[in-house]
Amino acid sequence: GSARRCRHNPNLLTFAMCPPSFAEGRLPRGGRWYTARVPMRTVYDTLHLTTGFHVPELYRRMAADGVTQAPTSPAEAKQRALTNPPALMMAQAQVEWWLPEDMVNWDAPDHFDPAHRLLPFASTASGDLWCWFQQGGEESIVLAPHDENGATFFAPDLEAFLLRHMLQAFAEILDDDGMDFTPAQRGEVARANVRTLAPYLNEGWLELLTELCARPLVRDEEWDCLGLLSRDEAITLIQTELDMPTLGETFPHFRLAR
């Protein structure tokens, strides 16, 4: 991709698509612009300078390991699903990871209230934003819809974000997703997704997901899907494991109409 100027300060850095450890950008030199390879730590420093957010170390590890990079074709997606899927591939309609340079170049929509400190790190297939949210010295993860005025508290941190999405994905495994997998293969897909997340989850949560993967797939006739656990069990586990007082609460993130 081509480099773009940072909206916060055009004289800082701009970034384009690149390997995980470097971002290609432009730096001012003698009044002229030239293309340069910029260490990824500089991208994170720029994010902190321009937004006030420290990108969590867990995200940095995941980006450096390449697990936030999606397959580039349907054929690659089907092959990787069984062997080395990207993080949260089972929830790919819900989570499309952003690169750090996407965060740097994000322009908040005009209808978003600038009083709310939001930094997107992923989006849904429909364009809603998964954001880090700062409030009163605390940071959490919220889902900020692009067309509805109500951001929802989703998880206390990125590790809990990974767990919650896996639990929800395990409770709703669609068999009309175009992959044409057998039930046995869908079980392997679930195990492969857990293997991808193993370096980024604590021992207890990894053990929980591993135990769920050992269950047989059961069809949920009401929702016309397969599952390793029921929706009710998933909700209970999410509430218990995340232990987040504001879980599910919403707040208006649009500007007030004048």
Side-chain angles (χ1 to χ4, degrees), residues 27-34:
L27 293 166
R29 175 186 264 180
R32 301 180 63 186
W33 290 84
Y34 70 98

Side-chain angles (χ1 to χ4, degrees), residues 154-231:
F154 186 84
D157 54 37
L158 188 56
E159 185 181 10
F161 177 85
L162 298 176
L163 175 71
R164 178 172 178 180
H165 272 297
M166 288 300 292
L167 291 173
Q168 292 180 174
F170 281 3
E172 186 178 2
I173 300 174
L174 302 178
D175 45 12
D176 60 352
D177 58 1
M179 291 290 191
D180 195 29
F181 285 147
T182 66
Q185 287 175 314
R186 294 195 181 280
E188 183 52 43
V189 167
R191 291 186 288 274
N193 273 257
V194 173
R195 287 197 301 271
T196 294
L197 295 183
Y200 316 111
L201 294 175
N202 66 61
E203 184 177 346
W205 285 355
L206 179 58
E207 183 177 341
L208 170 62
L209 293 179
T210 301
E211 290 176 353
L212 291 173
C213 281
R215 294 182 178 183
L217 283 169
V218 176
R219 176 161 293 281
D220 186 324
E221 298 295 344
E222 179 181 358
W223 296 98
D224 191 25
C225 64
L226 298 171
L228 294 165
L229 72 167
S230 69
R231 291 184 178 222

Side-chain angles (χ1 to χ4, degrees), residues 6-206:
C6 172
R7 70 184 180 90
H8 303 283
N9 185 344
N11 294 320
L12 279 175
L13 294 169
T14 56
F15 308 99
M17 217 46 118
C18 58
S21 58
F22 281 87
E24 291 184 1
R26 292 184 177 183
L27 293 166
R29 175 186 264 180
R32 301 180 63 186
W33 290 84
Y34 70 98
T35 300
R37 284 171 61 80
V38 181
M40 189 57 77
R41 66 178 179 275
T42 306
V43 182
Y44 295 127
D45 289 345
T46 301
L47 273 168
H48 181 229
L49 179 65
T50 58
T51 70
F53 282 88
H54 283 287
V55 174
E57 181 61 30
L58 180 57
Y59 174 89
R60 300 186 189 205
R61 287 174 50 209
M62 292 174 65
D65 292 345
V67 299
T68 59
Q69 296 186 1
T72 57
S73 69
E76 181 190 356
K78 186 170 183 178
Q79 182 273 324
R80 289 189 60 188
L82 292 164
T83 55
N84 63 328
L88 298 182
M89 187 174 184
M90 287 188 72
Q92 60 184 341
Q94 296 298 319
V95 181
E96 297 177 355
W97 296 100
W98 285 21
L99 298 172
E101 49 268 38
D102 295 326
M103 302 179 206
V104 169
N105 288 294
W106 179 63
D107 284 301
D110 291 339
H111 59 280
F112 274 34
D113 188 345
H116 294 304
R117 297 176 59 81
L118 298 168
L119 178 63
F121 63 89
S123 58
T124 68
S126 61
D128 297 334
L129 301 175
W130 296 109
C131 302
W132 288 302
F133 172 60
Q134 290 182 347
Q135 183 182 51
E138 297 293 327
E139 199 167 291
S140 56
I141 292 175
V142 302
L143 177 62
H146 69 286
D147 57 356
E148 294 183 8
N149 188 16
T152 304
F153 287 96
F154 186 84
D157 54 37
L158 188 56
E159 185 181 10
F161 177 85
L162 298 176
L163 175 71
R164 178 172 178 180
H165 272 297
M166 288 300 292
L167 291 173
Q168 292 180 174
F170 281 3
E172 186 178 2
I173 300 174
L174 302 178
D175 45 12
D176 60 352
D177 58 1
M179 291 290 191
D180 195 29
F181 285 147
T182 66
Q185 287 175 314
R186 294 195 181 280
E188 183 52 43
V189 167
R191 291 186 288 274
N193 273 257
V194 173
R195 287 197 301 271
T196 294
L197 295 183
Y200 316 111
L201 294 175
N202 66 61
E203 184 177 346
W205 285 355
L206 179 58

